[in-house]
């Protein structure tokens, strides 16, 4: 089985897929597409966007569906549909949180300054407190009382959000820290992190 | 088993859940929250947003995870993780399409006018052609060759998008029309539509 992940040269929406593959101890081609090559490549991607994972003879797109698919493969899914709902729901919540930060990040400087206070004092703590509460209920895991793809997805997204905000967002959330440590302690993740290239963030 | 769906007095993100419950021939309390009652109710909702479904002794939030959960219940899921990926992927694509339209709809009038041409001539046809192609490949269904929750979800979202755009978006897409007809022909959906209240859209 060969795996090839196509994404840009930074964390973004590709990182959760990289983390999933790493967590599953799967060798993969980490095809980091340079920004200048993207216009030529774009039309060949199913919806003109990445991440796109080539695996199992199929071409997969959309970050969360890819992570769910890999989660099923790597025994990181729930045992029944209620557990799977809980996993999905964490992933959606984390994705919504990322969306709020990313939307802010890509505003121009003046609008960013205006919106910063609300983001840092209201929006971010709102989501992090909800997630902290879930992590507390599940003994340091986000969805249920075993590690799932939602934990792996969440930590990869949080890493990206830290880059966008320029700080460690979960520094004061002890139960989210536990999730972070569990994901980062996985053998495959440690191996991936040891050789992960630095982000090359394009200037938009 | 009692089901109560909490959502606003219009289609929006509640309609896919209403369609799912209707498709599953499930009696449910369709709690349509008036806009003026929302500020009082908001803090009691898990993430301060709706739709929220009370069912099976649990409180469910986030539209797509709810629809996936109900899809599993009503035999509208896939047989394996590849089929389920295909279903998820259609739902994500449809949701992204809705997002583009909704984002346009809520701009102020001047920006709306500026962005209308691109939306109607590029963005909307791009997505509808991709979905039409999928519906063609699957003989008038979107994800796989049996009806799934992605078909039900997609048609409910399309109905909402038609409201926002003020036209029948799939008029010229024969295979998407087939999906529409299959979903609308279901006994429970017909029954729901026969008594569905008119939308009351608040002026934001």
């Amino acid at each position: 089985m060969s795996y090839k992940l196509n994404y840009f040269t930074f964390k973004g929406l590709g990182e959760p897929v990289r983390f999933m593959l790493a967590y599953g101890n799967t060798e993969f081609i980490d095809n980091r597409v340079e920004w200048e090559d993207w216009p030529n490549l774009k039309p060949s991607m199913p919806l003109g966007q990445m991440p796109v994972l080539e695996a199992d003879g199929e071409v997969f797109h959309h970050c969360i569906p890819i992570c769910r698919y890999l989660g099923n493969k790597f025994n990181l899914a729930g045992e029944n549909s209620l557990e799977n709902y809980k996993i999905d729901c964490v992933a959606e919540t984390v994705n919504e949180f990322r969306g709020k930060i990313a939307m802010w990040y890509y505003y121009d400087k003046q609008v960013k300054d205006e919106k910063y206070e609300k983001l840092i004092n209201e929006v971010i703590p709102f989501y992090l407190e909800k997630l902290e509460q879930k992590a507390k209920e599940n003994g340091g895991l986000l969805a249920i009382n075993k590690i799932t793809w939602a934990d792996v997805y969440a930590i990869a997204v949080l890493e990206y959000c830290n880059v966008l905000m320029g700080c460690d967002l979960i520094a004061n959330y002890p139960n989210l820290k536990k999730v972070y440590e569990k994901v980062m302690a996985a053998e495959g993740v440690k191996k991936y992190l040891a050789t992960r290239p630095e982000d090359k963030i394009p200037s938009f």
Side-chain angles (χ1 to χ4, degrees), chain A:
Chain A
M1 203 75 76
S2 79
Y3 288 85
K4 182 179 176 187
L5 175 67
N6 305 285
Y7 193 67
F8 301 101
T9 58
F10 55 95
K11 295 186 179 66
L13 295 177
E15 201 65 6
V17 184
R18 295 184 188 121
F19 262 63
M20 285 298 302
L21 291 164
Y23 193 95
N25 281 308
T26 302
E27 293 287 327
F28 66 101
I29 299 165
D30 188 7
N31 181 33
R32 293 179 177 242
V33 175
E34 299 288 342
W35 197 249
E36 59 266 29
D37 297 330
W38 175 234
N40 284 335
L41 197 61
K42 188 176 163 70
S44 70
M45 296 293 165
L47 276 171
Q49 55 185 232
M50 299 191 290
V52 163
L53 177 68
E54 300 169 43
D56 303 336
E58 300 276 339
V59 176
F60 297 86
H61 56 94
H62 272 103
C63 178
I64 291 183
I66 296 173
C67 291
R68 185 181 296 107
Y69 176 78
L70 294 174
N72 276 304
K73 234 179 148 79
F74 301 149
N75 193 27
L76 292 167
E79 295 293 316
N80 54 51
S81 54
L82 183 58
E83 285 193 358
N84 281 323
Y85 161 77
K86 289 179 180 177
I87 296 168
D88 291 346
C89 201
V90 166
E92 288 288 324
T93 304
V94 169
N95 186 42
E96 198 172 282
F97 173 72
R98 175 201 61 80
K100 307 270 181 192
I101 292 177
M103 205 190 301
W104 169 82
Y105 186 81
Y106 293 108
Y107 282 124
D108 64 30
K109 170 116 186 35
Q110 193 198 328
V111 182
K112 269 174 95 159
D113 288 348
E114 281 166 20
K115 291 184 182 280
Y116 183 76
E117 290 296 317
K118 187 172 178 184
L119 183 73
I120 204 82
N121 293 326
E122 290 178 39
V123 179
I124 290 177
F126 175 82
Y127 281 95
L128 290 179
E129 278 159 27
K130 298 280 181 188
L131 292 166
E132 171 72 6
Q133 184 56 36
K134 277 189 185 285
K136 194 174 172 188
E137 283 162 20
N138 294 302
L141 291 165
L142 282 164
I144 56 177
N145 62 2
K146 71 161 221 179
I147 197 157
T148 70
W149 66 266
D151 296 297
V152 180
Y153 171 83
I155 294 311
V157 170
L158 271 169
E159 263 219 302
Y160 173 47
C161 292
N162 282 347
V163 172
L164 297 182
M165 296 306 297
C167 64
D168 178 9
L169 288 165
I170 60 168
N172 299 319
Y173 296 91
N175 289 286
L176 288 175
K177 276 282 194 200
K178 285 185 197 165
V179 184
Y180 179 88
E181 281 152 19
K182 280 176 198 159
V183 171
M184 292 307 196
E187 216 47 57
V189 172
K190 280 197 284 190
K191 204 172 140 196
Y192 164 65
L193 292 177
T195 57
R196 174 170 69 176
E198 286 291 306
D199 278 5
K200 288 194 276 182
I201 300 178
S203 48
F204 292 101

